[in-house]
Amino acid sequence: MSEVKITAQTRTEFGKGAARRIRRDSKVPGVLYGHGSDPIHLTLPGHDLLLALRTSNVLISLDIDGKSNELAIPKSVQRDPIKGFLEHVDLQLVKRGEKVTVEIPVHTEGELAPGGNLLEHVLNALPVEAEATHIPEALTVSVEGLAAGASVLAKDITLPSGVTLAVEEDAVVLQVLAAQAEEAQAGEGEAEEAAEA
């Protein structure tokens, strides 16, 4: 995983008014915490941060006030629900070689067995433990030929070297639902609504 370098400034103004002023300057307020140290309140460049966050679990190299350089991963990102711009970000301090628990997006490839069955993502992301500087961007799972009733468990997913599960091995990640059962349930629901009316 590549590192993204971002220049940040410490901030001393807090509250909604200060946050609005920061956002008006196309910047994003944030907090860096971890390793038992006091949280550091930061102002980050909005555009650079937005580009960096396109990669899930991105490793960010922070140049803070030109004095210190810290590694961090995003832990919580708040966006405006309508316009989608970044409102605030929480960053977790990490060290090289340190293991961190993160959620890795699960992608699928292949076609299900014929029959119009539906694939349900029970977990869109798989919790894993990985070295901070070697976090995989995504995990790809083949669903080729899976029939109704089939499921993919966490232990069935091949993990890169050095990455371990941070969830029960028997946790269901994907399952295939029979299309007819879904339609029948919808029909029953409509029949019940009609009976109630």
Side-chain angles (χ1 to χ4, degrees):
M1 167 177 274
S2 60
E3 289 179 27
V4 176
K5 292 189 187 310
I6 291 183
T7 302
Q9 285 83 41
T10 51
R11 62 187 167 98
T12 52
E13 285 189 308
F14 308 104
K16 287 184 179 177
R20 279 194 205 102
R21 281 193 294 279
I22 290 168
R23 287 193 283 269
R24 266 199 301 269
D25 290 339
S26 299
K27 296 182 178 175
V28 179
V31 178
L32 174 67
Y33 63 90
H35 291 234
S37 58
D38 290 335
I40 302 171
H41 297 270
L42 301 170
T43 300
L44 302 138
H47 183 68
D48 292 350
L49 186 61
L50 191 63
L51 291 176
L53 293 175
R54 286 186 177 168
T55 304
S56 64
N57 299 312
V58 64
L59 187 64
I60 299 173
S61 175
L62 288 171
D63 177 7
I64 303 171
D65 294 333
K67 297 175 188 167
S68 66
N69 199 288
E70 303 286 0
L71 284 179
I73 55 173
K75 267 326 234 187
S76 172
V77 178
Q78 295 172 17
R79 295 176 188 270
D80 180 273
I82 297 167
K83 296 181 181 174
F85 62 80
L86 297 172
E87 291 191 326
H88 190 273
V89 64
D90 285 350
L91 301 169
Q92 181 183 337
L93 193 62
V94 295
K95 302 240 182 276
R96 292 187 192 282
E98 175 188 6
K99 290 253 185 180
V100 293
T101 301
V102 292
E103 293 193 347
I104 307 297
V106 176
H107 299 161
T108 58
E109 63 182 11
E111 297 289 325
L112 296 175
N117 297 321
L118 304 171
L119 180 65
E120 179 187 15
H121 285 255
V122 179
L123 293 177
N124 287 319
L126 188 67
V128 299
E129 193 175 76
E131 191 182 319
T133 54
H134 293 91
I135 299 172
E137 288 186 23
L139 299 168
T140 303
V141 180
S142 174
V143 296
E144 188 65 43
L146 292 182
S151 59
V152 176
L153 305 179
K155 65 181 177 185
D156 300 330
I157 297 177
T158 305
L159 299 175
S161 175
V163 178
T164 56
L165 288 175
V167 67
E168 291 292 323
E169 288 188 347
D170 293 331
V172 176
V173 180
L174 304 165
Q175 63 185 3
V176 182
L177 306 174
Q180 296 80 9
E182 292 286 312
E183 288 167 13
Q185 286 173 357
E188 287 168 15
E190 288 168 10
E192 286 172 12
E193 286 174 19
E196 286 172 9

